[in-house]
Structures are given as C-alpha cells and as structure tokens.
Amino acid sequence: MTHTINPSTAPITTATTTRPAARLLLGCGIAAGPLFLAVGVIQGLTREGFDFTRNAISQLSLGDLGWIQVTNFVITGALLIAGAIGTRRALHGGPGGTWAPRLVAVFGASFLVSAVFAADPGAGFPIGTPEGPTGSISTNGAVHMFGGMIGYLALCAAFVVLARRFSAQGRRGWAVASRIVPVAVLAGFAGSAASVLAFSAGAALGLVWLTATTARLATTPPTGR
C-alpha cells in the first residue's frame, strides 16, 4: 500500500530544495555588475587626479586607496562565479547549459586576476604620474590587460550562446540584443586607442547586459528534466 508514496514525493523534494539555491546564486550574478560600476564611479568622482576621460577604472587599484578597487575586483569576481554556478543550474538540460556558465565563470575569474595584477599608472594617475605615455608595459600591467581581454571575450561568447537559448524560447528581442551587445562591447574596446571613454563604455555595457540576462534567467522557470 505504501510503495506508491515514495516515488511521488522524492521528485517534489528535490525541486523545492534546488530552485531557491539557484535563485540565490543568480542574485549574486545580478548584483555583480551594478556593485562594480557603482564603486568604480564613486571612486572616480572622489579620488584626486582621476579623470574618466583619461583614466580607466582599473587604475583605481593604484595609490594609497587602491585597496578599495582591489576589494571591488575580488568581490565582483566572486559574485560573478557564484552567478555562473546559478546559471548552470538554471540552464541545465537546455540550450546553452554547458558553455554559457563556463564562459561567465571565466569572466568572473578575470576580475580575480585583475585584483592580483594591477594596471600600470598613466595619464596623470596616481598623482605625480607623467601625463604622457609612461614607456614599456610592466609584467603586472601586461597580465592585467591580457586577463581582462580573455574575460571580456568570454563574456561576449556567453552572450552569443545565450542568444541561442533566447531564440529557442521565442524571445526574439533578447536573442537579437544578445548578438548586438558583444559587437558594441568589442567596438568600444577597439576605440580605446582614441578614447578611454569608449573602452569604459564597452566594459560597462557588458556588465549591464550580463545583469539583465541573468535577471531574465532568474525569472524564467527552470528547464524541465
């Protein structure tokens, strides 16, 4: 008589314990971009010698108050990796379930690399740094730039992967935007030689769209198994 009860209750228990955990992890991913940008903007507006038209947010890791930006990199990286785990759970068994989380995790790891390997000083920041080019790039600076490049390439690839999922769900607007945003991000990076603002705008756009897509995943019912 009782053998019919256990099979019906086991799946329900699994579903109710997994979903909240995934949403919590996705919430970490949602918070990462706004936190990083807010802390960076506040610092950029308050730290002496910093100018958004000449300096990249990464340079805030330099100087006496550089620990604030280093901490910002660490916390953001940890939140992004947590969000990647939540993305894996949300996408499990569906399109993009394998590569999107991995690529977002690589993006998160690039922030941890940036925390360890600081950007080079330049363009008058920190105070006392020459206004013009400072010469050759240091090892730390080279690793910082390479890590950031790999991270944002991975993020752009993640958007393309997610576009496939949105297409499968019939969300054409989300799919189209997820293909356009990577182009805009890369265009901003390509324009960095002419304007630091172009680079900053491209980087910020990538973070904002990651927040939006993660929020979309958090409000979409999980794929059935």
Side-chain angles (χ1 to χ4, degrees), residues 110-168:
S110 72
F111 279 73
L112 301 182
V113 171
S114 294
V116 176
F117 299 92
D120 286 334
F125 189 83
I127 293 293
T129 302
E131 296 289 338
T134 56
S136 60
I137 300 175
S138 69
T139 300
N140 272 6
V143 174
H144 180 92
M145 288 194 298
F146 182 73
M149 178 185 70
I150 294 299
Y152 268 93
L153 286 175
L155 178 64
C156 290
F159 289 150
V160 174
V161 172
L162 288 173
R164 177 170 169 259
R165 179 178 180 84
F166 291 135
S167 294

Side-chain angles (χ1 to χ4, degrees), residues 8-216:
S8 62
T9 56
I12 295 175
T13 302
T14 301
T16 55
T17 56
T18 301
R19 190 174 301 151
R23 287 179 178 173
L24 177 61
L25 291 166
L26 289 169
C28 292
I30 293 169
L35 173 66
F36 182 81
L37 294 174
V39 173
V41 168
I42 291 172
Q43 289 184 89
L45 294 175
T46 57
R47 289 191 60 181
E48 185 179 2
F50 190 89
D51 185 343
F52 282 106
T53 64
R54 299 183 304 164
N55 304 113
I57 286 181
S58 293
Q59 290 180 297
L60 290 167
S61 295
L62 306 171
D64 293 339
L65 296 177
W67 64 269
I68 298 175
Q69 183 59 21
V70 171
T71 303
N72 193 22
F73 274 125
V74 171
I75 293 176
T76 301
L79 290 173
L80 287 169
I81 292 172
I85 297 172
T87 299
R88 183 185 64 183
R89 295 185 181 185
L91 300 184
H92 181 72
T98 299
W99 281 104
R102 293 178 182 179
L103 292 165
V104 173
V106 170
F107 181 58
S110 72
F111 279 73
L112 301 182
V113 171
S114 294
V116 176
F117 299 92
D120 286 334
F125 189 83
I127 293 293
T129 302
E131 296 289 338
T134 56
S136 60
I137 300 175
S138 69
T139 300
N140 272 6
V143 174
H144 180 92
M145 288 194 298
F146 182 73
M149 178 185 70
I150 294 299
Y152 268 93
L153 286 175
L155 178 64
C156 290
F159 289 150
V160 174
V161 172
L162 288 173
R164 177 170 169 259
R165 179 178 180 84
F166 291 135
S167 294
Q169 293 177 329
R171 303 182 186 279
R172 293 184 60 185
W174 285 87
V176 170
S178 293
R179 293 185 177 98
I180 293 175
V181 168
V183 176
V185 170
L186 295 177
F189 284 16
S192 61
S195 172
V196 174
L197 282 176
F199 171 83
S200 298
L205 176 61
L207 284 167
V208 169
W209 190 244
L210 179 60
T211 296
T213 54
T214 305
R216 176 73 269 179

